[in-house]
mmCIF file of all heavy atoms in Angstrom:
data_model
loop_
_atom_site.group_PDB
_atom_site.id
_atom_site.type_symbol
_atom_site.label_atom_id
_atom_site.label_comp_id
_atom_site.label_asym_id
_atom_site.label_seq_id
_atom_site.Cartn_x
_atom_site.Cartn_y
_atom_site.Cartn_z
ATOM 1 N N ASN A 1 -7.170 -1.642 37.965
ATOM 2 C CA ASN A 1 -7.456 -2.908 38.602
ATOM 3 C C ASN A 1 -7.195 -4.103 37.656
ATOM 4 O O ASN A 1 -8.066 -4.943 37.488
ATOM 5 C CB ASN A 1 -8.853 -2.972 39.194
ATOM 6 C CG ASN A 1 -8.996 -2.160 40.445
ATOM 7 O OD1 ASN A 1 -8.044 -1.901 41.183
ATOM 8 N ND2 ASN A 1 -10.222 -1.676 40.714
ATOM 9 N N THR A 2 -6.054 -4.024 37.033
ATOM 10 C CA THR A 2 -5.649 -5.109 36.140
ATOM 11 C C THR A 2 -4.260 -5.618 36.498
ATOM 12 O O THR A 2 -3.415 -4.848 37.004
ATOM 13 C CB THR A 2 -5.642 -4.682 34.641
ATOM 14 O OG1 THR A 2 -4.727 -3.582 34.493
ATOM 15 C CG2 THR A 2 -7.025 -4.241 34.248
ATOM 16 N N VAL A 3 -3.989 -6.899 36.262
ATOM 17 C CA VAL A 3 -2.689 -7.436 36.530
ATOM 18 C C VAL A 3 -2.447 -8.529 35.458
ATOM 19 O O VAL A 3 -3.374 -9.230 35.004
ATOM 20 C CB VAL A 3 -2.624 -8.047 37.929
ATOM 21 C CG1 VAL A 3 -3.600 -9.152 38.127
ATOM 22 C CG2 VAL A 3 -1.193 -8.503 38.270
ATOM 23 N N SER A 4 -1.194 -8.633 35.038
ATOM 24 C CA SER A 4 -0.797 -9.602 34.032
ATOM 25 C C SER A 4 0.421 -10.380 34.483
ATOM 26 O O SER A 4 1.194 -9.973 35.318
ATOM 27 C CB SER A 4 -0.511 -8.898 32.674
ATOM 28 O OG SER A 4 -1.667 -8.239 32.182
ATOM 29 N N LEU A 5 0.582 -11.537 33.887
ATOM 30 C CA LEU A 5 1.767 -12.365 34.152
ATOM 31 C C LEU A 5 2.297 -12.915 32.816
ATOM 32 O O LEU A 5 1.634 -13.669 32.147
ATOM 33 C CB LEU A 5 1.372 -13.565 35.084
ATOM 34 C CG LEU A 5 2.549 -14.451 35.493
ATOM 35 C CD1 LEU A 5 3.448 -13.693 36.442
ATOM 36 C CD2 LEU A 5 2.021 -15.741 36.149
ATOM 37 N N GLN A 6 3.472 -12.445 32.463
ATOM 38 C CA GLN A 6 4.170 -12.905 31.257
ATOM 39 C C GLN A 6 4.986 -14.088 31.652
ATOM 40 O O GLN A 6 5.879 -13.979 32.494
ATOM 41 C CB GLN A 6 5.025 -11.814 30.660
ATOM 42 C CG GLN A 6 5.797 -12.230 29.451
ATOM 43 C CD GLN A 6 4.902 -12.543 28.270
ATOM 44 O OE1 GLN A 6 3.977 -11.808 27.965
ATOM 45 N NE2 GLN A 6 5.151 -13.659 27.621
ATOM 46 N N MET A 7 4.758 -15.220 31.027
ATOM 47 C CA MET A 7 5.431 -16.451 31.362
ATOM 48 C C MET A 7 6.253 -16.910 30.140
ATOM 49 O O MET A 7 5.667 -17.191 29.096
ATOM 50 C CB MET A 7 4.461 -17.556 31.767
ATOM 51 C CG MET A 7 3.540 -17.133 32.961
ATOM 52 S SD MET A 7 2.439 -18.491 33.481
ATOM 53 C CE MET A 7 1.435 -18.675 32.057
ATOM 54 N N ASN A 8 7.552 -16.948 30.305
ATOM 55 C CA ASN A 8 8.461 -17.336 29.233
ATOM 56 C C ASN A 8 9.205 -18.624 29.648
ATOM 57 O O ASN A 8 9.260 -18.974 30.808
ATOM 58 C CB ASN A 8 9.472 -16.261 28.925
ATOM 59 C CG ASN A 8 8.802 -14.989 28.408
ATOM 60 O OD1 ASN A 8 7.814 -15.002 27.714
ATOM 61 N ND2 ASN A 8 9.411 -13.858 28.747
ATOM 62 N N SER A 9 9.787 -19.288 28.671
ATOM 63 C CA SER A 9 10.551 -20.497 28.921
ATOM 64 C C SER A 9 9.785 -21.469 29.818
ATOM 65 O O SER A 9 10.329 -21.978 30.784
ATOM 66 C CB SER A 9 11.903 -20.138 29.561
ATOM 67 O OG SER A 9 12.636 -19.268 28.708
ATOM 68 N N LEU A 10 8.576 -21.733 29.450
ATOM 69 C CA LEU A 10 7.713 -22.557 30.280
ATOM 70 C C LEU A 10 8.193 -24.017 30.326
ATOM 71 O O LEU A 10 8.729 -24.505 29.392
ATOM 72 C CB LEU A 10 6.273 -22.503 29.740
ATOM 73 C CG LEU A 10 5.511 -21.262 30.084
ATOM 74 C CD1 LEU A 10 4.282 -21.098 29.198
ATOM 75 C CD2 LEU A 10 5.103 -21.287 31.574
ATOM 76 N N LYS A 11 8.028 -24.603 31.483
ATOM 77 C CA LYS A 11 8.419 -25.986 31.763
ATOM 78 C C LYS A 11 7.173 -26.797 32.122
ATOM 79 O O LYS A 11 6.193 -26.275 32.575
ATOM 80 C CB LYS A 11 9.399 -26.005 32.937
ATOM 81 C CG LYS A 11 10.648 -25.145 32.776
ATOM 82 C CD LYS A 11 11.496 -25.191 34.025
ATOM 83 C CE LYS A 11 12.698 -24.298 33.897
ATOM 84 N NZ LYS A 11 13.525 -24.310 35.131
ATOM 85 N N PRO A 12 7.254 -28.104 31.931
ATOM 86 C CA PRO A 12 6.146 -28.966 32.334
ATOM 87 C C PRO A 12 5.762 -28.793 33.826
ATOM 88 O O PRO A 12 4.609 -28.918 34.168
ATOM 89 C CB PRO A 12 6.677 -30.347 32.050
ATOM 90 C CG PRO A 12 7.604 -30.212 30.894
ATOM 91 C CD PRO A 12 8.288 -28.885 31.196
ATOM 92 N N GLU A 13 6.762 -28.445 34.638
ATOM 93 C CA GLU A 13 6.487 -28.249 36.083
ATOM 94 C C GLU A 13 5.643 -27.016 36.345
ATOM 95 O O GLU A 13 5.192 -26.832 37.435
ATOM 96 C CB GLU A 13 7.861 -28.114 36.840
ATOM 97 C CG GLU A 13 8.746 -29.331 36.714
ATOM 98 C CD GLU A 13 9.540 -29.364 35.412
ATOM 99 O OE1 GLU A 13 10.406 -28.476 35.231
ATOM 100 O OE2 GLU A 13 9.290 -30.251 34.581
ATOM 101 N N ASP A 14 5.479 -26.143 35.345
ATOM 102 C CA ASP A 14 4.668 -24.958 35.489
ATOM 103 C C ASP A 14 3.191 -25.292 35.276
ATOM 104 O O ASP A 14 2.308 -24.448 35.530
ATOM 105 C CB ASP A 14 5.022 -23.903 34.478
ATOM 106 C CG ASP A 14 6.426 -23.320 34.759
ATOM 107 O OD1 ASP A 14 6.787 -23.144 35.945
ATOM 108 O OD2 ASP A 14 7.197 -23.171 33.764
ATOM 109 N N THR A 15 2.845 -26.503 34.870
ATOM 110 C CA THR A 15 1.483 -26.913 34.663
ATOM 111 C C THR A 15 0.647 -26.794 35.956
ATOM 112 O O THR A 15 1.057 -27.390 36.986
ATOM 113 C CB THR A 15 1.383 -28.341 34.120
ATOM 114 O OG1 THR A 15 2.031 -28.428 32.836
ATOM 115 C CG2 THR A 15 -0.025 -28.797 34.002
ATOM 116 N N ALA A 16 -0.399 -26.043 35.923
ATOM 117 C CA ALA A 16 -1.206 -25.812 37.088
ATOM 118 C C ALA A 16 -2.406 -24.918 36.702
ATOM 119 O O ALA A 16 -2.464 -24.425 35.576
ATOM 120 C CB ALA A 16 -0.393 -25.105 38.175
ATOM 121 N N VAL A 17 -3.343 -24.819 37.665
ATOM 122 C CA VAL A 17 -4.343 -23.792 37.512
ATOM 123 C C VAL A 17 -3.814 -22.527 38.175
ATOM 124 O O VAL A 17 -3.374 -22.541 39.308
ATOM 125 C CB VAL A 17 -5.641 -24.234 38.213
ATOM 126 C CG1 VAL A 17 -6.705 -23.126 38.117
ATOM 127 C CG2 VAL A 17 -6.185 -25.529 37.610
ATOM 128 N N TYR A 18 -3.885 -21.424 37.403
ATOM 129 C CA TYR A 18 -3.368 -20.150 37.891
ATOM 130 C C TYR A 18 -4.513 -19.239 38.278
ATOM 131 O O TYR A 18 -5.495 -19.100 37.537
ATOM 132 C CB TYR A 18 -2.567 -19.487 36.785
ATOM 133 C CG TYR A 18 -1.163 -20.111 36.605
ATOM 134 C CD1 TYR A 18 -1.024 -21.386 36.044
ATOM 135 C CD2 TYR A 18 0.020 -19.424 36.977
ATOM 136 C CE1 TYR A 18 0.241 -21.945 35.917
ATOM 137 C CE2 TYR A 18 1.237 -19.995 36.841
ATOM 138 C CZ TYR A 18 1.361 -21.259 36.296
ATOM 139 O OH TYR A 18 2.599 -21.833 36.177
ATOM 140 N N TYR A 19 -4.359 -18.638 39.470
ATOM 141 C CA TYR A 19 -5.395 -17.801 39.990
ATOM 142 C C TYR A 19 -4.899 -16.383 40.210
ATOM 143 O O TYR A 19 -3.849 -16.139 40.748
ATOM 144 C CB TYR A 19 -5.844 -18.321 41.398
ATOM 145 C CG TYR A 19 -6.436 -19.719 41.352
ATOM 146 C CD1 TYR A 19 -5.634 -20.843 41.471
ATOM 147 C CD2 TYR A 19 -7.790 -19.903 41.232
ATOM 148 C CE1 TYR A 19 -6.195 -22.103 41.454
ATOM 149 C CE2 TYR A 19 -8.365 -21.138 41.192
ATOM 150 C CZ TYR A 19 -7.568 -22.282 41.310
ATOM 151 O OH TYR A 19 -8.113 -23.507 41.330
ATOM 152 N N CYS A 20 -5.709 -15.424 39.799
ATOM 153 C CA CYS A 20 -5.475 -14.020 40.026
ATOM 154 C C CYS A 20 -5.955 -13.639 41.438
ATOM 155 O O CYS A 20 -6.986 -14.193 41.918
ATOM 156 C CB CYS A 20 -6.216 -13.198 38.971
ATOM 157 S SG CYS A 20 -6.191 -11.444 39.187
ATOM 158 N N ASN A 21 -5.210 -12.790 42.111
ATOM 159 C CA ASN A 21 -5.532 -12.386 43.454
ATOM 160 C C ASN A 21 -5.350 -10.886 43.704
ATOM 161 O O ASN A 21 -4.320 -10.332 43.274
ATOM 162 C CB ASN A 21 -4.662 -13.161 44.464
ATOM 163 C CG ASN A 21 -4.806 -12.702 45.905
ATOM 164 O OD1 ASN A 21 -4.034 -11.804 46.373
ATOM 165 N ND2 ASN A 21 -5.809 -13.179 46.595
ATOM 166 N N PHE A 22 -6.344 -10.256 44.267
ATOM 167 C CA PHE A 22 -6.245 -8.895 44.700
ATOM 168 C C PHE A 22 -6.411 -8.820 46.192
ATOM 169 O O PHE A 22 -7.337 -9.430 46.739
ATOM 170 C CB PHE A 22 -7.342 -8.037 44.031
ATOM 171 C CG PHE A 22 -7.099 -7.626 42.641
ATOM 172 C CD1 PHE A 22 -6.885 -8.594 41.628
ATOM 173 C CD2 PHE A 22 -7.017 -6.293 42.257
ATOM 174 C CE1 PHE A 22 -6.574 -8.222 40.327
ATOM 175 C CE2 PHE A 22 -6.756 -5.932 40.950
ATOM 176 C CZ PHE A 22 -6.558 -6.881 39.993
ATOM 177 N N ARG A 23 -5.523 -8.092 46.849
ATOM 178 C CA ARG A 23 -5.504 -8.076 48.313
ATOM 179 C C ARG A 23 -5.511 -6.629 48.848
ATOM 180 O O ARG A 23 -4.590 -5.858 48.481
ATOM 181 C CB ARG A 23 -4.330 -8.851 48.839
ATOM 182 C CG ARG A 23 -4.173 -8.849 50.334
ATOM 183 C CD ARG A 23 -3.060 -9.760 50.788
ATOM 184 N NE ARG A 23 -3.349 -11.167 50.427
ATOM 185 C CZ ARG A 23 -2.470 -12.147 50.398
ATOM 186 N NH1 ARG A 23 -1.204 -11.898 50.709
ATOM 187 N NH2 ARG A 23 -2.858 -13.376 50.059
ATOM 188 N N GLN A 24 -6.450 -6.330 49.729
ATOM 189 C CA GLN A 24 -6.428 -5.066 50.470
ATOM 190 C C GLN A 24 -7.056 -5.370 51.834
ATOM 191 O O GLN A 24 -8.178 -4.959 52.102
ATOM 192 C CB GLN A 24 -7.236 -3.986 49.744
ATOM 193 C CG GLN A 24 -7.040 -2.598 50.279
ATOM 194 C CD GLN A 24 -7.967 -1.623 49.611
ATOM 195 O OE1 GLN A 24 -9.182 -1.674 49.778
ATOM 196 N NE2 GLN A 24 -7.390 -0.701 48.856
ATOM 197 N N GLY A 25 -6.376 -6.135 52.643
ATOM 198 C CA GLY A 25 -6.911 -6.681 53.846
ATOM 199 C C GLY A 25 -7.596 -8.006 53.535
ATOM 200 O O GLY A 25 -7.206 -9.025 54.087
ATOM 201 N N SER A 26 -8.623 -7.947 52.734
ATOM 202 C CA SER A 26 -9.365 -9.150 52.311
ATOM 203 C C SER A 26 -8.789 -9.574 50.937
ATOM 204 O O SER A 26 -8.225 -8.796 50.189
ATOM 205 C CB SER A 26 -10.847 -8.873 52.181
ATOM 206 O OG SER A 26 -11.400 -8.525 53.454
ATOM 207 N N ASP A 27 -9.001 -10.877 50.647
ATOM 208 C CA ASP A 27 -8.508 -11.482 49.391
ATOM 209 C C ASP A 27 -9.698 -11.644 48.449
ATOM 210 O O ASP A 27 -10.779 -12.073 48.824
ATOM 211 C CB ASP A 27 -7.907 -12.818 49.643
ATOM 212 C CG ASP A 27 -6.488 -12.713 50.173
ATOM 213 O OD1 ASP A 27 -5.830 -11.686 49.907
ATOM 214 O OD2 ASP A 27 -6.082 -13.685 50.814
ATOM 215 N N TYR A 28 -9.469 -11.314 47.185
ATOM 216 C CA TYR A 28 -10.411 -11.575 46.119
ATOM 217 C C TYR A 28 -9.732 -12.460 45.091
ATOM 218 O O TYR A 28 -8.603 -12.178 44.711
ATOM 219 C CB TYR A 28 -10.890 -10.267 45.496
ATOM 220 C CG TYR A 28 -11.631 -9.397 46.477
ATOM 221 C CD1 TYR A 28 -10.939 -8.379 47.173
ATOM 222 C CD2 TYR A 28 -12.986 -9.546 46.729
ATOM 223 C CE1 TYR A 28 -11.575 -7.558 48.092
ATOM 224 C CE2 TYR A 28 -13.620 -8.722 47.666
ATOM 225 C CZ TYR A 28 -12.935 -7.721 48.302
ATOM 226 O OH TYR A 28 -13.556 -6.914 49.209
ATOM 227 N N TRP A 29 -10.422 -13.463 44.594
ATOM 228 C CA TRP A 29 -9.795 -14.441 43.730
ATOM 229 C C TRP A 29 -10.553 -14.565 42.381
ATOM 230 O O TRP A 29 -11.750 -14.441 42.313
ATOM 231 C CB TRP A 29 -9.844 -15.833 44.378
ATOM 232 C CG TRP A 29 -8.993 -15.936 45.630
ATOM 233 C CD1 TRP A 29 -9.454 -15.719 46.881
ATOM 234 C CD2 TRP A 29 -7.623 -16.270 45.670
ATOM 235 N NE1 TRP A 29 -8.366 -15.889 47.779
ATOM 236 C CE2 TRP A 29 -7.276 -16.238 47.060
ATOM 237 C CE3 TRP A 29 -6.663 -16.588 44.770
ATOM 238 C CZ2 TRP A 29 -5.975 -16.528 47.485
ATOM 239 C CZ3 TRP A 29 -5.395 -16.853 45.178
ATOM 240 C CH2 TRP A 29 -5.053 -16.834 46.515
ATOM 241 N N GLY A 30 -9.789 -14.844 41.376
ATOM 242 C CA GLY A 30 -10.341 -15.189 40.097
ATOM 243 C C GLY A 30 -10.785 -16.654 40.090
ATOM 244 O O GLY A 30 -10.529 -17.400 41.068
ATOM 245 N N GLN A 31 -11.415 -17.064 39.040
ATOM 246 C CA GLN A 31 -11.927 -18.430 38.939
ATOM 247 C C GLN A 31 -10.826 -19.460 38.618
ATOM 248 O O GLN A 31 -11.063 -20.616 38.748
ATOM 249 C CB GLN A 31 -13.026 -18.483 37.877
ATOM 250 C CG GLN A 31 -12.534 -18.571 36.436
ATOM 251 C CD GLN A 31 -11.991 -17.252 35.892
ATOM 252 O OE1 GLN A 31 -12.097 -16.200 36.530
ATOM 253 N NE2 GLN A 31 -11.423 -17.300 34.695
ATOM 254 N N GLY A 32 -9.723 -18.994 38.157
ATOM 255 C CA GLY A 32 -8.605 -19.853 37.783
ATOM 256 C C GLY A 32 -8.605 -20.130 36.274
ATOM 257 O O GLY A 32 -9.654 -20.264 35.681
ATOM 258 N N THR A 33 -7.410 -20.253 35.735
ATOM 259 C CA THR A 33 -7.251 -20.556 34.334
ATOM 260 C C THR A 33 -6.186 -21.650 34.209
ATOM 261 O O THR A 33 -5.121 -21.564 34.816
ATOM 262 C CB THR A 33 -6.901 -19.352 33.501
ATOM 263 O OG1 THR A 33 -6.874 -19.686 32.117
ATOM 264 C CG2 THR A 33 -5.587 -18.741 33.929
#
């Protein structure tokens, strides 16, 4: 139950709060980073 996101060549347009999501019918969300 782990997931990662490798982000390369980042751009200013990538600026945001990023949320982790697990889905199995229902959605579960992280607090955001």
Side-chain angles (χ1 to χ4, degrees):
N1 287 333
T2 59
V3 62
S4 297
L5 184 69
Q6 178 66 45
M7 304 184 295
N8 298 325
S9 302
L10 283 162
K11 305 175 181 179
E13 300 81 67
D14 296 317
T15 296
V17 178
Y18 284 70
Y19 298 89
C20 174
N21 172 265
F22 281 60
R23 178 173 295 165
Q24 192 187 68
S26 299
D27 282 334
Y28 299 94
W29 296 92
Q31 80 286 352
T33 184

